[in-house]
Amino acid sequence: MSVEPRPVLVVDFGAQYAQLIARRVREAHVYSEIVPHTMSVADMLAREPAAIVLSGGPASVYAEGAPAVDPGLFTAGVPVFGICYGFQAMAQALGGSVERTGLSEFGGTLLDVTAPESKLFAGTPTRQSVWMSHGDSVTSAPAGFAVSAHTEGAPVAAMEDAERRLAGVQYHPEVLHSEHGQQVLENFLTRIAGCPRDWTTEGVIEEQVRRIREQVGDGLVICGLSGGVDSAVAAALVQRAVGDQLTCVFVDHGLLRAGEAEQVERDFVAATGVRLVVVDAQERFLSALAGVDDPETKRKIIGREFIRVFEDAAREIVAQAGAEGRSIDFLVQGTLYPDVVESGGGSGTANIKSHHNVGGLPDDLAFTLVEPLRTLFKDEVRQVGLELGLPPEIVWRHPFPGPGLAIRIVGAVDEDRLRILRAADAIAREELTSSGLDREVWQFPVVLLADVRSVGVQGDGRTYGHPIVLRPVSSEDAMTADWSRLPYDVIARISTRITNEVRDVNRVVLDVTSKPPGTIEWE
């Protein structure tokens, strides 16, 4: 991988799949970045892109104020690939025809490839199922383009001009429902755009280690470990770069799942050799949460207390460094690329990134941020973690909310309710892992309905126990999600074990709501 890879720029026209397109490009070992459609062509070209991909979007090219494509983009000599709305905007900008034909297509659609010499469809069948979502259609391609595919509702479903290195498709090749979509995208990148496929996570490690050393020099660094994969991998990268210049702080708020605090204190330290300060704040958090059942109030309390505990620990570390004639000037954050995109690019300000949804540190604890993961997606972070030698139990951990089990208890939080939920959650995770399904499920929240009592029969007596809710979900990026269709025998084993082994639980239910309309977490 080159030190500064030339990016493929994904121009976001408001598509729900813009991030997915960028990920698919990276899966082809080509580096990609997302830019807004408002960026000028001059600014795009200043990035020296290897290619440009125009994403889909919700607008019609005929709608007032619909985003347009500057025709100058297509004469700059940079390869361009249009997808859905981007395809239509491209065709219109180059003199093709886009019309409301009345033949809308949504969902799975059969596509016929009509150009045997097509570079775009090389190695794919002449008939294939693709995922459509359009009302307007391109009815005639611009001059110089060959029409390479059509569907019943789209006379021009794909077009390409190999000489000018321009191409586009009406459908969404980035989604799994398009059978050969990844191959088509890779054909554009390699056969039409000529992009080198040399972007790897091994190269990411080398590059980030170099950047961290340049940024930090001989300075000291502090990092707040949460127990999740993002902060763990970020810390491991910084540790690889600057060694014992890094001190990690782990605030044990008592709201983690069974075994997770021990994994941080034992396994992470053993794998990295990092200097770790552990703050046992369980009683402090439980005391602050006593009697609080409103979920938003719980989040704010946890965020507030986390910052206060971290402040105290950081001040002690800063004071110790000061006594040695040194200062701590840098703070590690596990910011990922989706965080950067969704925040409009990130400001780089010295505020702790809150998985607890909290604000910044006080003025007397101002740090310069070190964000080694800010160009990576979650799956890439996991791969980097594996290559750094982190334990699989940490690398493959499901996403977990910063407020922890507190927001998976519907009702007030106390030690006994945490015991119940922690035990039920451990059983669910254990059975999911033993069935070999833990990597197929994005998240598996287990929820305790603490303020609900349900009648049951256990032994020869009538019981009034708490219901437990299982919420297994599958997702690409957590922006949308669907409930995971776990095998019935797996669900049955989880239910039987929870009701048999966890005192005060007599009912297990399954949440089968997608997102939207439901969220992944209950609170």
Side-chain angles (χ1 to χ4, degrees), residues 284 303-313 315 361:
R284 176 172 179 164
R304 180 194 71 210
E305 293 302 317
F306 179 86
I307 282 293
R308 288 176 178 173
V309 173
F310 187 86
E311 283 175 15
D312 292 343
R315 284 197 178 93
L361 293 171

Side-chain angles (χ1 to χ4, degrees), residues 120 122-124 180-188 191:
L120 201 55
T124 70
H180 303 278
Q182 183 66 14
Q183 180 65 58
V184 169
L185 183 57
E186 292 183 11
N187 283 346
F188 167 76
R191 294 173 181 266

Side-chain angles (χ1 to χ4, degrees), residues 324-339:
E324 298 170 358
R326 307 186 70 184
S327 63
I328 297 178
D329 300 315
F330 299 95
L331 172 70
V332 179
Q333 284 195 176
T335 309
L336 302 192
Y337 192 50
D339 301 324

Side-chain angles (χ1 to χ4, degrees), residues 219-476:
L220 300 182
V221 192
I222 192 170
C223 175
L225 277 180
S226 68
V229 63
D230 300 343
S231 66
V233 174
L237 263 174
V238 175
Q239 172 73 12
R240 172 73 63 91
V242 298
D244 61 8
Q245 292 168 237
L246 171 69
T247 300
C248 290
V249 177
F250 172 55
V251 176
D252 184 358
H253 52 28
L255 305 172
L256 293 177
R257 294 171 290 192
E260 289 184 336
E262 293 77 9
Q263 279 184 353
V264 174
E265 295 182 51
R266 182 190 63 234
D267 300 342
F268 182 76
V269 172
T272 62
V274 76
R275 177 184 295 147
L276 180 67
V277 174
V278 178
V279 182
D280 184 351
Q282 298 183 53
E283 290 187 11
R284 176 172 179 164
F285 277 83
L286 277 177
S287 176
L289 289 167
V292 178
D293 57 10
D294 177 70
E296 189 57 31
T297 304
K298 285 192 282 188
R299 287 177 182 272
K300 289 178 179 177
I301 289 171
I302 294 166
R304 180 194 71 210
E305 293 302 317
F306 179 86
I307 282 293
R308 288 176 178 173
V309 173
F310 187 86
E311 283 175 15
D312 292 343
R315 284 197 178 93
E316 288 185 19
I317 296 168
V318 167
Q320 182 179 347
E324 298 170 358
R326 307 186 70 184
S327 63
I328 297 178
D329 300 315
F330 299 95
L331 172 70
V332 179
Q333 284 195 176
T335 309
L336 302 192
Y337 192 50
D339 301 324
V340 175
V341 173
E342 289 165 12
S343 65
S347 62
T349 54
N351 285 345
I352 185 168
K353 177 201 168 204
S354 177
H355 55 276
H356 298 280
N357 299 322
V358 297
L361 293 171
D363 292 339
D364 64 334
L365 285 176
F367 301 105
T368 299
L369 295 184
V370 178
E371 298 175 297
L373 309 181
R374 65 181 284 113
T375 63
L376 302 181
F377 289 101
K378 176 74 80 172
D379 51 343
E380 295 164 340
V381 171
R382 294 189 195 281
Q383 188 59 42
V384 167
L386 291 173
E387 290 167 9
L388 288 170
L390 295 186
E393 295 79 12
I394 292 178
V395 171
W396 292 107
R397 178 172 294 160
H398 287 179
F400 188 62
L405 297 178
I407 60 167
R408 292 183 178 176
I409 294 175
V410 180
V413 179
D414 61 33
E415 196 167 346
D416 193 52
R417 289 175 170 183
L418 283 168
R419 171 194 61 78
I420 295 170
L421 180 54
R422 196 172 277 125
D425 176 86
I427 290 170
R429 287 189 292 136
E430 182 181 317
E431 289 297 334
L432 192 71
T433 300
S434 65
S435 66
L437 297 172
D438 53 343
R439 295 188 192 178
E440 295 182 22
V441 174
W442 170 265
Q443 268 190 73
F444 195 177
V446 177
V447 180
L448 171 65
L449 302 185
D451 289 343
V452 176
R453 290 280 184 171
S454 65
V455 67
V457 177
Q458 290 172 301
D460 294 323
R462 198 173 180 85
T463 62
Y464 293 92
H466 297 291
I468 286 286
V469 180
L470 306 179
R471 175 71 166 137
V473 295
S474 299
S475 177
E476 287 276 359

Side-chain angles (χ1 to χ4, degrees), residues 120-150:
L120 201 55
F121 291 96
T124 70
T126 56
R127 171 162 280 203
Q128 50 194 273
S129 180
V130 299
W131 192 258
M132 286 284 197
S133 182
H134 71 100
D136 300 339
S137 296
V138 177
T139 53
S140 64
F145 281 84
V147 177
S148 44
H150 68 82

Side-chain angles (χ1 to χ4, degrees), residues 82-127:
I83 293 175
C84 195
Y85 179 86
F87 169 69
Q88 295 175 2
M90 177 183 190
Q92 187 180 61
L94 287 169
S97 299
V98 182
E99 300 178 19
R100 296 188 178 104
T101 63
L103 296 175
S104 302
E105 293 175 313
F106 299 95
T109 305
L110 286 177
L111 175 105
D112 289 309
V113 178
T114 54
E117 303 303 317
S118 167
K119 289 189 176 183
L120 201 55
F121 291 96
T124 70
T126 56
R127 171 162 280 203

